[in-house]
Amino acid sequence: KLLQEITDKGPLDHLPVLLDVFTIPRTSGQSHICLAMDVYGQDVASFRRSAPQKALPVFTVKVIIKQVLRGVAGLHRQGIVHTGA
């Protein structure tokens, strides 16, 4: 519901856009919910493991943090509060 709300309000930089939602029935009775979004790239942990020293350069870490903060700021502008509980 939250991703749909973000998408309905218009695309924001550094936030995923929900392209489609569908369910796949399971024999256990519960459906598997699938969220279709654009492919962005590898996760930070995989990116770090691929680095020569197994650590990311400070510049790269700053870029990642800046993008995350821009995404959170975009959520706040839409009235959506993000917590790390």
Side-chain angles (χ1 to χ4, degrees), residues 22-34:
F22 57 94
T23 58
I24 299 174
R26 300 173 111 181
T27 56
S28 66
Q30 292 183 340
S31 296
H32 180 78
I33 299 173
C34 300

Side-chain angles (χ1 to χ4, degrees), residues 18-69:
L18 185 62
L19 302 175
D20 195 13
V21 178
F22 57 94
T23 58
I24 299 174
R26 300 173 111 181
T27 56
S28 66
Q30 292 183 340
S31 296
H32 180 78
I33 299 173
C34 300
L35 306 175
M37 297 181 278
D38 287 326
V39 177
Y40 288 103
Q42 61 185 338
D43 61 89
V44 175
S46 298
F47 187 52
R48 184 183 55 79
R49 284 192 298 273
S50 68
Q53 290 84 21
K54 305 293 181 210
L56 297 175
V58 172
F59 171 78
T60 304
V61 173
K62 287 180 180 181
V63 169
I64 292 169
I65 291 171
K66 185 176 181 179
Q67 291 174 352
V68 169
L69 291 175

